[in-house]
Amino acid sequence: MAFPQTRLRRMRRTETIRNMVRETKVSVDDLIMPLFVCPGKNVSNPITSMPGNSQLSVDLLVEECKKLVALGIKSVLLFGIPEHKDEHGLVACEHNGIVQQAIRAIKAEISDIMIVADVCNCEYTTHGHCGTIVDGDVHNDLTLETLAKQSVSLAEAGADIIAPSDMMDGRVGKIREELDKNGFYNVPIMAYSAKYASAFYGPFREAAESAPKFGNRASYQMDPANSNEALREVEQDIIEGADMVMVKPALSYLDVIRRVKDTFNMPIVAYNVSGEFSMVKAAAANGWIDEERIVKEILTSIKRAGADIIITYHAAQMAEILIRENK
């Protein structure tokens, strides 16, 4: 039926009706908060390009996790800033590596938290690339060995989920093989499956001290122009044993999230990355936008596109918004 019998505005007339028929709702259960851990004690290094975020020493990181759990955020993604780096990123595999220390400390004090451990080498290599360099480029198969060792070390420390973000071919299969071989067959893999060579990562590279010293990452991260390729990447990771697949970044790739969701019966993760976060903060600081409304709209759009899980630096802020709205 058409107007005047059909009046779609009837279902928007009051807040109660709007809440009742709302198709997409973001919950704290959907959110993962990324955190950066650094050496030292009582250290908090503000990340200037990501207002409200800091590199935190292990002791302060534990306290930050307690605050997040109190808000209902029970999942964190850890990135490490090591005391020293090497050519291959082997420092990331050490028993007492910075992230390994953080995992053990968090688990010792907080029982109700899920720790996702990022697996990559860019924070740990002297050159800032995601693996072993041979003839000026990252050598895929040599890098797999380091990634697998790092994954096992993080699982031994108590990581609940292993999240390889390097975009090497075959890394999910190699990591799955090594985890299983070492008895960690129940540890899931959250694969950064469609990770694009994006300009939106700029602030993260300050936060993780991971900017490449030469060249760029276009030879291993995906071309922003491609979406068919993303489906091939996701399919390959699923075949190799990924339990969750990720699209990164989120906002400029909502179409990719939707295509992945429509194609694969898998939990879909979207990473609302640092540049997306920092643009909101900058615009809000200038009074150009209503920050809370923008944050809600962004996260809702990511979930509406098909994401089941959202990694976002807005996680704590969104939790506070939901607490106020649910009072």
Side-chain angles (χ1 to χ4, degrees), residues 175-313:
I175 290 170
R176 183 74 275 160
E177 178 186 357
E178 292 301 314
L179 287 174
D180 290 357
K181 188 186 298 184
N182 286 273
F184 298 110
Y185 43 80
N186 283 329
V187 174
I189 294 175
M190 176 192 288
Y192 288 64
S193 298
K195 181 179 179 180
Y196 286 85
S198 172
F200 286 100
Y201 303 149
F204 175 90
R205 291 175 181 174
E206 177 199 347
E209 300 179 9
S210 63
K213 296 293 190 296
F214 63 88
N216 56 50
R217 294 176 178 148
S219 72
Y220 45 103
Q221 295 178 357
M222 282 186 56
D223 186 334
N226 296 352
S227 65
N228 290 334
E229 184 187 1
L231 299 185
R232 295 186 65 192
E233 286 280 9
V234 169
E235 182 178 38
Q236 189 61 46
D237 283 356
I238 293 170
I239 290 169
E240 291 181 18
D243 301 282
M244 294 167 269
V245 293
M246 187 192 302
V247 176
K248 178 185 180 183
L251 282 182
S252 289
Y253 301 88
L254 295 176
D255 61 316
V256 179
I257 295 170
R258 184 74 259 167
R259 289 192 70 185
V260 172
K261 185 66 173 180
D262 288 343
T263 306
F264 302 102
N265 183 25
M266 291 285 291
I268 310 298
V269 185
Y271 199 143
N272 178 211
V273 300
S274 61
E276 297 167 343
F277 169 85
S278 296
M279 288 192 301
V280 170
K281 288 293 184 181
N286 281 284
W288 297 336
I289 59 171
D290 181 326
E291 183 177 345
E292 286 198 359
R293 287 186 64 195
I294 288 285
V295 168
K296 286 178 61 179
E297 189 170 341
I298 286 171
L299 298 183
T300 300
S301 74
I302 295 169
K303 188 169 183 183
R304 190 186 65 242
D308 302 290
I309 301 163
I310 305 172
I311 301 169
T312 177
Y313 302 95

Side-chain angles (χ1 to χ4, degrees), residues 9 11 16 56 69 76 91 103 110 119 133 143 154 165 177 222 242 249 275 277 290-291 309 313 321:
R9 287 183 59 191
M11 304 307 289
T16 299
L56 300 172
V69 171
V76 296
V91 63
I103 293 169
I110 309 170
V119 173
I133 300 295
T143 300
L154 292 165
S165 63
E177 178 186 357
M222 282 186 56
F277 169 85
D290 181 326
E291 183 177 345
I309 301 163
Y313 302 95
I321 292 170

Side-chain angles (χ1 to χ4, degrees), residues 56-69:
L56 300 172
S57 54
V58 171
D59 53 331
L60 296 188
L61 185 82
V62 171
E63 296 308 308
E64 182 66 19
C65 287
K66 289 178 181 178
K67 295 175 186 176
L68 290 169
V69 171

Side-chain angles (χ1 to χ4, degrees), residues 93 131 277 325:
C93 309
F277 169 85
E325 289 182 346

